[in-house]
């Protein structure tokens, strides 16, 4: 008897999106808490202390199911952003929202346009939906090439992904570029505008996605509490779009994919301005520290509008990452993004950054 196929054949060509594990011998050398992780763009300050207290209290209610539409967080965000609550959709991080987006909108064979060297889950989800992808290279400065993307869009195109600031490069496109891009696009085109790092952006010409909800009918912004608000482990993401689209997205959401510990933590994090100010300041100082320490090196450090840097060196990225790991630092080699000589490094605390600079100097000398 032939065995039944467990999953369709085309699944086999879809990359598995998982971070590589840390080798046992490295874990033994440094102990579980002895490694410095600068690979995941987390906020090293940790969550707001006020959020932590509220979350500890909320744990006592863990025997209850959460409220599925996160009404309390919805109210907080709608007040903060000055939009009606039916503009908001929630998910277990942006990761899950991206699944909602592709389940809600992409049919097999739909034409989808995206960039290469960007957040890998856009393409993974497209592949699960059997979309027909056009992939456009970043420009020579590793910036989203909106002109080239626009050339790929036809009246048949269903959806386009934009990531600003881009992961893994940290680069951004300007408000002027986005304004031009959005002119004369097919009316029904869905534009997904991923702003996972927007709270860190401080360039005067960095666009605010909120300005485009009125201008373009199917504009969808994705945001997260994982990065700036330091709640990556609790998985709270949201998207902002017109109510008709919210309905489609809520339709495909599983009932309890968010939990109320994350919900109360997110609400308190939004309120705690002293903590958000600390995070902002730490990132500004960390950016300056990187530029001061590394500019004199024979390496290329790309300008960033996020909480990480892309750094190109003369070494192979896998080799460099493994040498840094031997010294106790985890960074992300960009080999799987097709950039063989670059690593992505999260801006850590001043002490972590200093340790990274010293380790990098050792490896490169
Ligand atoms: C650009 C971008 N979008 C989305 C995500 C996923 O974020 P979340 O933790 O909310 O799932 C990440 C995470 O690294 C990211 O870099």
């Amino acid at each position: 008897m032939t065995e039944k196929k467990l999953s369709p054949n085309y699944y086999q060509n879809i990359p598995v999106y998982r971070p590589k594990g840390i080798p046992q011998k490295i874990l033994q050398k440094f102990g579980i808490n002895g490694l410095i992780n600068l690979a995941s763009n987390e906020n090293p300050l940790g969550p707001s202390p006020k959020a932590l207290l509220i979350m500890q209290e909320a744990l006592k209610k863990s025997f209850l199911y959460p409220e599925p539409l996160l009404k309390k967080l919805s109210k907080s965000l709608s007040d903060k952003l000055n939009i009606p609550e039916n503009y908001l959709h929630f998910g277990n991080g942006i990761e899950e929202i991206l699944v909602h987006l592709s389940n809600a909108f992409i049919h097999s064979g739909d034409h989808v346009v995206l960039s290469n060297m960007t957040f890998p889950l856009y393409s993974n989800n497209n592949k699960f939906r059997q979309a027909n992808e056009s992939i456009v290279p970043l420009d020579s400065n590793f910036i989203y090439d909106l002109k080239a993307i626009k050339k790929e869009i036809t009246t048949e195109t269903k959806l386009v992904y934009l990531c600003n600031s881009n992961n893994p490069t940290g680069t951004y496109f300007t408000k002027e570029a986005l304004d031009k891009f959005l002119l004369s696009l097919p009316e029904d085109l869905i534009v997904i505008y991923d702003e996972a790092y927007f709270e860190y952006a401080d360039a005067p010409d960095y666009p605010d996605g909120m300005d485009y909800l009125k201008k373009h009918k199917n504009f969808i912004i994705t945001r997260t509490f994982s990065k700036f608000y330091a709640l990556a482990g609790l998985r709270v993401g949201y998207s902002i779009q017109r109510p008709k689209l919210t309905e489609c997205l809520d339709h495909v959401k599983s009932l309890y994919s968010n939990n109320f510990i994350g919900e109360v933590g997110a609400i308190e994090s939004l309120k705690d301005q002293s903590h958000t100010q600390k995070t902002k300041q730490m990132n500004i100082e960390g950016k300056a520290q990187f530029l001061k320490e590394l500019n004199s090196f024979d390496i290329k450090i790309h300008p960033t509008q996020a909480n990480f840097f892309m750094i190109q060196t003369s070494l192979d990225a896998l080799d460099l990452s493994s040498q840094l790991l031997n010294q106790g630092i985890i960074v992300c080699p960009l080999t799987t993004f097709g950039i063989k000589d670059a690593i992505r490094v999260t801006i850590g605390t001043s002490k972590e950054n200093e340790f990274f600079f010293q380790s990098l100097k050792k490896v490169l000398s």
Side-chain angles (χ1 to χ4, degrees):
M1 206 171 70
T2 54
E3 246 184 74
K4 264 197 194 151
K5 281 224 174 77
L6 289 177
S7 47
N9 282 344
Y10 71 88
Y11 274 32
Q12 280 151 27
N13 299 325
I14 304 176
V16 178
Y17 181 67
R18 299 264 181 282
K20 256 188 156 178
I22 306 293
Q24 201 54 37
K25 72 172 202 278
I26 297 284
L27 288 175
Q28 271 163 3
K29 181 169 166 191
F30 293 97
I32 196 80
N33 296 319
L35 286 162
I36 296 175
N37 185 1
L38 299 181
S40 314
N41 306 339
E42 293 150 342
N43 176 349
L45 278 187
S48 141
K50 290 181 184 159
L52 276 178
L53 283 178
I54 297 266
M55 291 192 288
Q56 274 162 4
E57 192 55 31
L59 269 176
K60 293 178 189 156
K61 299 257 175 71
S62 300
F63 62 99
L64 298 173
Y65 279 104
E67 189 283 306
L69 291 176
L70 290 83
K71 283 289 176 202
K72 289 186 182 143
L73 178 56
S74 190
K75 170 85 177 72
S76 300
L77 278 171
S78 115
D79 291 345
K80 184 177 165 72
L81 302 171
N82 199 18
I83 44 163
E85 284 182 50
N86 58 4
Y87 272 64
L88 290 162
H89 167 74
F90 293 93
N92 199 265
I94 294 180
E95 278 198 11
E96 192 192 47
I97 292 179
L98 292 172
V99 175
H100 294 166
L101 286 163
S102 49
N103 285 350
F105 301 125
I106 301 177
H107 302 225
S108 170
D110 276 351
H111 183 227
V112 173
V113 182
L114 66 159
S115 277
N116 69 348
M117 299 177 187
T118 193
F119 191 55
L121 283 185
Y122 309 148
S123 186
N124 266 41
N125 292 333
N126 292 338
K127 290 188 171 73
F128 278 114
R129 303 298 290 172
Q130 293 189 286
N132 165 23
E133 293 182 307
S134 290
I135 300 194
V136 179
L138 298 183
D139 74 12
S140 56
N141 293 315
F142 294 94
I143 298 174
Y144 257 64
D145 189 342
L146 295 188
K147 278 190 195 149
I149 290 179
K150 195 158 179 177
K151 280 193 191 139
E152 289 298 316
I153 294 172
T154 70
T155 48
E156 297 301 305
T157 308
K158 184 69 175 281
L159 189 146
V160 59
Y161 290 93
L162 305 177
C163 186
N164 207 25
S165 312
N166 184 38
N167 180 9
T169 58
T171 51
Y172 78 107
F173 50 84
T174 63
K175 177 168 165 28
E176 192 188 344
L178 184 56
D179 285 344
K180 276 194 193 140
F181 174 77
L182 288 174
L183 281 180
S184 61
L185 283 180
E187 204 204 349
D188 287 332
L189 179 77
I190 299 170
V191 178
I192 297 178
Y193 186 67
D194 188 346
E195 279 189 334
Y197 301 94
F198 88 98
E199 295 96 338
Y200 288 109
D202 54 10
D205 55 355
Y206 178 86
D208 179 349
M210 296 295 292
D211 293 341
Y212 298 90
L213 289 170
K214 276 209 182 98
K215 292 184 195 158
H216 189 82
K217 187 169 85 175
N218 292 336
F219 194 81
I220 302 179
I221 301 162
T222 55
R223 292 182 174 178
T224 182
F225 283 87
S226 296
K227 309 292 179 184
F228 186 75
Y229 293 107
L231 296 177
L234 289 162
R235 319 299 304 126
V236 191
Y238 62 101
S239 64
I240 314 167
Q241 59 285 308
R242 295 193 192 180
K244 229 177 163 179
L245 298 172
T246 306
E247 251 174 57
C248 301
L249 291 169
D250 285 347
H251 193 172
V252 295
K253 179 181 172 13
S254 60
L255 194 53
Y256 298 126
S257 74
N258 285 98
N259 65 77
F260 60 72
I261 314 293
E263 183 180 16
V264 295
I267 294 169
E268 205 56 32
S269 302
L270 285 174
K271 286 195 228 155
D272 189 348
Q273 288 189 9
S274 131
H275 197 69
T276 52
Q277 201 44 46
K278 269 190 203 150
T279 295
K280 233 177 220 162
Q281 194 54 31
M282 191 195 65
N283 206 58
I284 291 170
E285 286 167 13
K287 259 162 96 167
Q289 197 187 358
F290 266 72
L291 294 174
K292 180 165 171 274
E293 286 291 328
L294 298 183
N295 259 344
S296 55
F297 261 70
D298 192 17
I299 59 176
K300 183 149 178 57
I301 174 156
H302 290 265
T304 187
Q305 284 295 306
N307 66 341
F308 57 85
F309 277 104
M310 175 167 88
I311 297 174
Q312 280 179 291
T313 77
S314 53
L315 294 186
D316 171 82
L318 284 175
D319 187 26
L320 173 58
S321 309
S322 125
Q323 293 200 54
L324 288 169
L325 189 57
N326 271 325
Q327 301 196 39
I329 299 201
I330 314 170
V331 300
C332 177
L334 300 188
T335 319
T336 52
F337 291 86
I339 319 176
K340 291 199 173 72
D341 59 355
I343 54 172
R344 190 192 63 206
V345 186
T346 309
I347 299 169
T349 60
S350 148
K351 220 168 141 189
E352 288 171 337
N353 298 340
E354 191 52 45
F355 190 65
F356 166 69
F357 305 145
Q358 295 315 326
S359 308
L360 185 67
K361 282 176 195 175
K362 256 190 235 163
V363 175
L364 293 180
S365 61

